[in-house]
Amino acid sequence: MSLPNSTSDRRVVPLQPRQPIGGAIIDAQGREIPITESMIQRACQELQRQLNKDNRPT
């Protein structure tokens, strides 16, 4: 097996939002749940909502 010797030999394949990206969480029953792009996006959106809520003037 040989390694590609130029960037033109490589392809970038975008992930689908529900395709696992290499990590997992363990649920309360001990099952492994693959982490997906959409899970990460939802977590980031929730974090942003919380940050916006905490930074409102009182």
Side-chain angles (χ1 to χ4, degrees), residues 7-8 12 15 24 37 43 51 57:
T7 57
S8 64
V12 175
L15 296 176
E37 171 86 14
L51 290 171

Side-chain angles (χ1 to χ4, degrees), residues 26-37:
I26 307 297
D27 71 5
Q29 289 74 40
R31 294 177 297 210
E32 190 173 286
I33 309 296
I35 297 171
T36 64
E37 171 86 14

Side-chain angles (χ1 to χ4, degrees), residues 22-50:
I25 58 173
I26 307 297
D27 71 5
Q29 289 74 40
R31 294 177 297 210
E32 190 173 286
I33 309 296
I35 297 171
T36 64
E37 171 86 14
S38 61
M39 292 167 77
I40 293 170
Q41 291 294 331
R42 283 194 312 265
C44 290
Q45 291 167 358
E46 179 60 29
L47 178 59
Q48 187 63 53
R49 278 194 293 273
Q50 290 297 319

